[in-house]
């Protein structure tokens, strides 16, 4: 569930406040399942109930409630407040039995199947049934970013390290709560086979058939529908052979990619590269931590280098690829963890540019004494930056506004001092040893927020990709 409540105090000599509120509410409808402004204080409980119910019924999504600033100081008689009971749990829908039978038949005939697990599966708490399905049928699976951990990343059937090969050559793809949007390249060639058969399982009927005509559609709750598939496969035994040519090809690709990443991670040269930094982070952070990831290469490489072992433990830029959400996610996660699982750590890994969008939220983290660990992977820019010497040489050609590349940021910026300024602990590190020491100190102190500013090679990049980031616009 995600409900945002906003209260506002402002005046404007040339703008009607009522009209401004209406515009804010209308603008919120583009991105939320519900966008509403209570008409009175008495109506607030009913509005909250509706927002909570709307956010969890059907496909989960955010709701926006706009609270005018003057409501904060108003008073009403308690007896006039319209209290309502909490909503009932979301109704659970199942797919038509004929659709389930058709889907299992398509899967049974597949020579190169692939299961893609989307965040809808995580929202549905379908991890137990999906793990049973993977083990029962021997299917290779690929998690989307925020579905990592629904089945642990270290499961032998996880083929994330062979993502491009798996997508490009699978003849049947089972989408479990995943959308064929830009993250999955719209399900189109050259990233997918022209003749790929897609089995789409989703709680939202409007999502079925987007971009690719499916071979079978199963409309319903992901957990319930996966249970239906398990029941059907118990009647007709299917175990995809682990010694098939498809599995051999996937394992060979995985091994090659993992070896390349390992080679980069173990490099001893300074400044460090992305892979070296993530290697040391992975070695020290708790397996059950909540990972927040935001940035360009930082998020992309971190997704492959930092495994998730439990569901709903990873937050990143998501479907809209929005920068600036990382620290807000970390604050929300830390507030929930503080009440429910106080032993769980929240670790927010940011690119330096991504941190710049909402870096002053460090004050919020310190104000509420949330033991969030922020790690900034600092390459002095967006994708690539300039070293201090190259920056000085660049300035010889004129003013920074005209001669410095727009993707370059000030070299060696001390972001850790922002954390220190508000009472947290800041670390500036350049070597693996310094990184290890800072990580150990930050993880040991479970009471104080901390920020580790990790300097890496400004020209550090991802290992060579088979395809460019997007094969068509995501608009």
């Amino acid at each position: 569930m995600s409900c945002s409540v906003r209260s506002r105090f402002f005046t404007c000599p040339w703008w009607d406040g009522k009209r401004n509120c209406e515009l804010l509410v209308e603008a919120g409808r583009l991105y939320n399942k519900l966008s509403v402004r209570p008409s009175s204080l008495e109506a607030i409980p009913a509005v909250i109930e509706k927002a909570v119910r709307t956010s969890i019924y059907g496909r989960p999504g955010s709701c926006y409630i706009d609270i005018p600033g003057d409501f904060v100081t108003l008073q009403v008689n308690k007896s006039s407040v319209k209290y309502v009971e909490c909503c009932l749990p979301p109704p659970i829908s199942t797919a038509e039995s004929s659709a389930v039978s058709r889907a299992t038949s398509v899967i049974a005939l597949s020579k190169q199947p692939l299961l893609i697990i989307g965040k809808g599966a995580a929202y549905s708490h379908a991890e137990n049934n999906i793990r049973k399905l993977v083990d029962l049928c021997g299917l290779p699976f690929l998690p989307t970013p925020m579905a990592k951990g629904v089945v642990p990343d270290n499961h032998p059937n996880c083929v994330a390290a062979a993502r491009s090969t798996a997508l490009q050559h699978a003849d049947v793809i089972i989408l479990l709560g995943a959308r064929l949007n830009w993250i999955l390249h719209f399900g189109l060639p050259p990233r997918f086979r022209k003749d790929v058969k897609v089995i789409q399982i989703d709680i939202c009927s409007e999502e079925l058939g987007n971009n690719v005509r499916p071979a079978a559609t199963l409309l319903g709750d992901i957990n319930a529908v996966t249970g239906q598939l398990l029941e059907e496969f118990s009647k007709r035994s299917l175990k995809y052979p682990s010694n098939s040519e498809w599995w051999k090809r996937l394992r060979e690709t995985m091994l090659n990619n993992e070896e390349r990443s390992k080679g980069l991670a173990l490099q001893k040269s300074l400044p460090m590269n992305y892979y070296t930094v993530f290697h040391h982070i992975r070695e020290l952070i708790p397996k059950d931590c909540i990972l927040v990831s935001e940035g360009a290469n930082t998020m992309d490489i971190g997704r492959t280098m930092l495994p998730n072992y439990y569901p709903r433990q990873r937050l990143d830029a998501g479907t809209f690829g929005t920068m600036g959400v990382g620290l807000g996610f970390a604050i929300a996660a830390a507030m929930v963890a503080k009440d429910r699982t106080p032993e769980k750590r929240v670790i927010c890994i940011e690119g330096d540019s991504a941190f710049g969008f909402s870096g002053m939220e460090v004050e919020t983290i310190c104000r509420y004494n949330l033991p969030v660990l922020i790690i900034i992977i600092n390459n002095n820019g967006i994708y690539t930056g300039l070293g201090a010497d190259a920056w000085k040489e660049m300035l010889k050609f004129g003013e920074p506004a005209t001669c410095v590349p727009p993707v370059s940021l000030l070299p060696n910026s001390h972001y850790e001092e922002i954390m220190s300024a508000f009472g947290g602990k800041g670390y500036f590190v350049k070597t693996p040893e310094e990184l290890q020491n800072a990580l150990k100190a930050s993880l040991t102190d479970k009471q104080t927020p901390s920020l580790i500013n990790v300097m890496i090679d400004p020209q550090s990049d991802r290992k060579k990709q088979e395809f460019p980031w997007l094969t068509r616009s995501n608009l």
Side-chain angles (χ1 to χ4, degrees):
M1 182 193 75
S2 175
C3 290
S4 172
V5 180
R6 175 186 172 92
S7 177
R8 296 167 291 99
F9 275 107
F10 58 84
T11 59
C12 180
W14 50 269
W15 196 253
D16 184 301
K18 182 180 179 181
R19 177 61 176 161
N20 193 36
C21 291
E22 291 172 355
L23 287 173
L24 284 170
V25 172
E26 289 305 313
R29 297 190 200 282
L30 291 170
Y31 309 104
N32 301 283
K33 293 183 71 179
L34 175 72
S35 184
V36 64
R37 178 177 180 243
S39 58
S40 65
L41 287 179
E42 293 89 341
I44 287 178
V47 169
I48 295 293
E49 187 276 339
K50 183 176 182 180
V52 170
R53 175 164 40 84
T54 303
S55 72
I56 61 176
Y57 277 37
R59 181 163 68 183
S62 63
C63 295
Y64 172 72
I65 304 172
D66 188 90
I67 304 291
D70 56 359
F71 276 26
V72 177
T73 56
L74 289 180
Q75 294 185 358
V76 295
N77 191 310
K78 187 175 180 180
S79 62
S80 68
V81 177
K82 302 172 185 176
Y83 288 102
V84 294
E85 293 185 20
C86 180
C87 63
L88 295 171
I92 296 174
S93 56
T94 56
E96 296 178 352
S97 57
S98 60
V100 175
S101 179
R102 183 163 59 251
T104 53
S105 296
V106 174
I107 296 170
L109 294 173
S110 171
K111 301 298 182 183
Q112 298 179 176
L114 177 66
L115 178 67
I116 299 180
I117 305 172
K119 61 175 176 280
Y123 288 153
S124 182
H125 291 255
E127 52 269 15
N128 290 335
N129 274 343
I130 293 176
R131 291 173 191 178
K132 290 177 184 177
L133 181 66
V134 169
D135 291 335
L136 176 67
C137 299
L139 295 171
F141 73 88
L142 179 69
T144 60
M146 286 205 290
K148 282 165 61 68
V150 169
V151 181
D153 284 344
N154 62 349
H155 190 285
N157 287 34
C158 179
V159 295
R163 184 180 188 273
S164 291
T165 298
L167 293 178
Q168 191 178 17
H169 299 287
D171 63 353
V172 170
I173 288 178
I174 307 104
L175 288 176
L176 276 174
R179 288 177 275 185
L180 289 177
N181 56 17
W182 66 275
I183 294 176
L184 287 174
H185 320 288
F186 308 98
L188 299 175
R191 302 301 296 265
F192 290 74
R193 285 172 51 153
K194 289 182 180 180
D195 61 347
V196 64
K197 293 180 180 178
V198 174
I199 297 169
Q200 202 165 0
I201 305 169
D202 207 285
I203 198 171
C204 179
S205 58
E206 290 84 356
E207 198 62 47
L208 302 174
N210 276 346
N211 293 310
V212 173
R213 182 181 177 87
T217 58
L218 285 73
L219 177 64
D221 175 79
I222 303 299
N223 188 38
V225 175
T226 307
Q228 290 179 279
L229 289 172
L230 282 170
E231 184 177 352
E232 189 70 20
F233 279 124
S234 67
K235 301 174 185 175
R236 55 163 92 178
S237 179
L238 169 68
K239 182 75 172 182
Y240 194 75
S242 60
N243 61 349
S244 67
E245 289 301 315
W246 177 230
W247 261 121
K248 289 177 183 177
R249 183 175 190 175
L250 291 172
R251 290 195 182 102
E252 181 181 357
T253 304
M254 289 166 60
L255 182 62
N256 290 337
N257 286 335
E258 288 167 354
E259 286 298 319
R260 289 166 61 197
S261 296
K262 184 178 179 181
L264 290 166
L266 298 179
Q267 284 183 2
K268 303 295 184 182
S269 58
L270 294 176
M272 295 181 285
N273 64 52
Y274 284 105
Y275 294 85
T276 302
V277 171
F278 281 118
H279 167 73
H280 291 291
I281 293 173
R282 182 179 62 201
E283 293 297 306
L284 292 173
I285 62 174
K287 284 189 173 183
D288 66 344
C289 69
I290 298 173
L291 275 175
V292 180
S293 185
E294 180 182 30
N297 283 336
T298 297
M299 185 171 66
D300 293 338
I301 299 172
R303 190 180 297 139
T304 64
M305 291 291 292
L306 299 177
N308 286 84
Y309 303 97
Y310 304 98
R312 297 171 294 281
Q313 303 284 280
R314 177 184 169 85
L315 295 165
D316 68 15
T319 304
F320 291 115
T322 310
M323 293 295 102
V325 299
L327 293 186
F329 282 171
I331 291 167
M335 291 296 289
V336 172
K338 192 174 184 178
D339 287 339
R340 299 184 181 180
T341 52
E343 73 287 349
K344 193 180 294 291
R345 296 304 302 267
V346 177
I347 299 175
C348 181
I349 303 177
E350 300 267 308
D352 48 339
S353 174
F355 178 77
F357 280 91
S358 56
M360 288 305 292
E361 292 296 344
V362 166
E363 186 274 335
T364 310
I365 291 171
C366 291
R367 189 192 333 147
Y368 294 117
N369 195 32
L370 302 173
V372 175
L373 167 56
I374 302 170
I375 303 172
I376 298 177
I377 314 297
N378 190 346
N379 69 337
N380 300 335
I382 305 169
Y383 286 111
T384 58
L386 297 172
D389 293 338
W391 180 272
K392 290 178 182 177
E393 288 298 315
M394 189 74 70
L395 294 184
K396 292 179 181 178
F397 295 97
E399 289 294 318
T402 58
C403 66
V404 172
V407 295
S408 295
L409 303 176
L410 268 176
N412 304 326
S413 295
H414 282 264
Y415 299 111
E416 78 285 351
E417 293 182 2
I418 299 176
M419 178 64 82
S420 300
F422 293 114
K425 294 182 179 179
Y427 303 88
F428 185 76
V429 306
K430 292 185 174 181
T431 68
E433 293 74 25
E434 291 172 347
L435 174 58
Q436 290 172 355
N437 291 336
L439 282 168
K440 290 174 182 176
S442 299
L443 293 170
T444 300
D445 187 345
K446 299 181 180 179
Q447 305 298 321
T448 311
S450 55
L451 189 155
I452 303 174
N453 185 12
V454 187
M455 299 306 305
I456 67 169
D457 184 350
Q459 298 302 309
S460 179
D461 202 354
R462 300 177 68 182
K463 65 180 185 292
K464 184 175 175 58
Q465 303 295 298
E466 185 177 353
F467 290 97
W469 179 50
L470 287 176
T471 50
R472 91 175 205 200
S473 171
N474 61 335
L475 296 179

